[in-house]
């Protein structure tokens, strides 16, 4: 069985006490199981203020924590911003960059995303670069072109020696939070394209994982994760309950065990 990345993006959900309760229950469920093995990599992305209580509830567990965002400047007069160094020193090992909600609600451009990505990697974080097309772009046959532009713009800011800390997440905008997931074939096509573009840019040895995100849940996870170029899932809604989050991996495992 291949290694699966099971990443949960809590968005603006989960008070500190709720995050702590989630993690205590998650830690109980995964103790002594396959989850501690190299076959599953679990990371949670709580809101900033929930990170400490998540970390408090996870010592000794194989689950890591990441931030949903971080700014590209080191310090200074940037009201409301949190630097990548702050993210790292709070105990996060990962950070998202370029999530579609950051791009579309908060107006982040490819240029801003590239700067954030660079800073994240420079401070030693693993960066999950999110990319994906809108419905209009898909319907007008522009998916590959849009995805290629987003990826190449971001890749330019990644020094080759940091490529091993890069993770890609294909998240079609129209599939996020809508209950409509990309079909496994469509997701596979774009993820394979992204993987090829990454290995063309960083060298064939780079093996950068590509996750799929957009309405992933237990009922569609098995099929999606079984595709050869989909290495995991970035999960929003279904990551808010321990049962629905773990069911994503369990369904994949059932399907691949035949
Ligand atoms: P969703 O969100 O699973 O709720 O569609 C995914 C994401 O935005 O990462």
């Amino acid at each position: 069985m291949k290694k699966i990345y099971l990443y949960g993006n809590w968005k603006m959900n989960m008070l500190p006490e709720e995050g702590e309760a989630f993690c205590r229950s998650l830690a109980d469920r995964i103790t002594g199981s396959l989850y501690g093995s190299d076959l599953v990599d679990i990371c949670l992305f709580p809101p900033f203020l929930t990170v400490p209580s998540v970390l408090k509830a996870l010592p000794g567990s194989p689950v890591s924590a990441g931030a949903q965002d971080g700014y590209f400047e080191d310090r200074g007069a940037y009201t409301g911003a949190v630097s990548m160094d702050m993210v790292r020193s709070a105990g996060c090992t990962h950070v998202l960059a370029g999530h579609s909600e950051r791009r579309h609600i908060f107006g982040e451009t490819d240029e801003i995303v590239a700067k954030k990505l660079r800073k994240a990697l420079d401070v030693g974080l693993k960066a999950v670069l999110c990319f994906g097309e809108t419905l209009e772009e898909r319907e007008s046959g522009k998916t590959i072109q849009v995805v290629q532009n987003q990826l190449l713009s971001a890749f330019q800011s990644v020094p080759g020696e940091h490529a091993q800390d890069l993770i890609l997440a294909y998240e079609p905008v129209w599939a996020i939070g809508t209950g409509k997931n990309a079909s496994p074939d469509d997701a596979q096509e774009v993820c394979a394209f992204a993987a090829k573009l990454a290995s063309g840019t960083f060298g064939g040895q780079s093996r950068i994982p590509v996750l799929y995100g957009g309405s992933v849940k237990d009922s569609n996870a098995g099929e999606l994760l079984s595709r050869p170029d989909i290495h995991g899932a970035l999960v929003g809604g279904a990551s808010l309950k321990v049962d629905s989050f773990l069911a994503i991996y369990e369904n994949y495992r059932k399907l691949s065990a035949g």
Side-chain angles (χ1 to χ4, degrees), residues 23-251:
C23 290
R24 290 203 190 287
S25 151
L26 179 69
D28 282 350
R29 286 277 300 273
I30 65 181
T31 311
S33 70
L34 193 68
Y35 290 101
S37 76
D38 285 349
L39 285 175
V40 201
D41 175 339
I42 305 183
C43 185
L44 297 170
F45 296 82
F48 289 129
L49 293 175
T50 300
V51 166
S53 57
V54 160
L55 288 170
K56 193 170 106 192
L58 289 175
S61 98
V63 179
S64 26
Q68 297 169 18
D69 187 32
Y71 198 49
F72 55 79
E73 295 289 358
D74 289 328
R75 61 182 58 77
Y78 303 101
T79 301
V82 167
S83 74
M84 293 296 177
D85 227 10
M86 292 169 182
V87 166
R88 187 198 47 76
S89 96
C92 291
T93 48
H94 294 59
V95 67
L96 303 181
H99 189 277
S100 92
E101 285 147 20
R102 299 297 317 171
R103 293 178 191 262
H104 295 280
I105 301 174
F106 298 98
E108 287 188 12
T109 59
D110 281 345
E111 195 190 335
I112 294 174
V113 172
K115 284 185 179 172
K116 289 184 168 186
L117 186 63
R118 172 71 198 250
K119 182 56 75 175
L121 295 167
D122 280 351
V123 307
L125 291 166
K126 289 191 183 300
V128 183
L129 170 66
C130 306
F131 63 97
E133 81 289 358
T134 63
L135 185 59
E136 200 188 338
E137 289 161 345
R138 172 158 285 272
E139 285 176 346
S140 53
K142 295 198 189 120
T143 297
I144 292 295
Q145 188 195 321
V146 167
V147 159
Q148 174 166 320
N149 291 345
Q150 288 175 348
L151 290 175
L152 289 181
S153 149
F155 287 173
Q156 277 173 18
S157 70
V158 178
E161 72 270 20
H162 285 335
Q164 82 273 5
D165 291 326
L166 184 61
I167 294 159
L168 303 178
Y170 169 51
E171 297 210 306
V173 179
W174 50 270
I176 296 177
T178 58
K180 280 189 252 166
N181 59 287
S183 72
D185 286 348
D186 287 347
Q188 158 63 23
E189 185 196 356
V190 179
C191 291
F193 175 78
K196 208 163 150 215
L197 201 65
S199 65
T201 307
F202 301 110
Q205 300 311 308
S206 52
R207 297 193 165 274
I208 293 171
V210 189
L211 282 48
Y212 166 79
S215 299
V216 176
K217 49 184 182 287
D218 57 351
S219 56
N220 57 28
E223 284 256 6
L224 284 159
L225 295 177
S226 302
R227 299 294 153 131
D229 291 292
I230 303 180
H231 304 119
L234 180 55
V235 186
S239 73
L240 296 172
K241 295 260 174 344
V242 174
D243 281 348
S244 51
F245 188 47
L246 292 183
I248 289 169
Y249 182 65
E250 276 148 22
N251 270 30

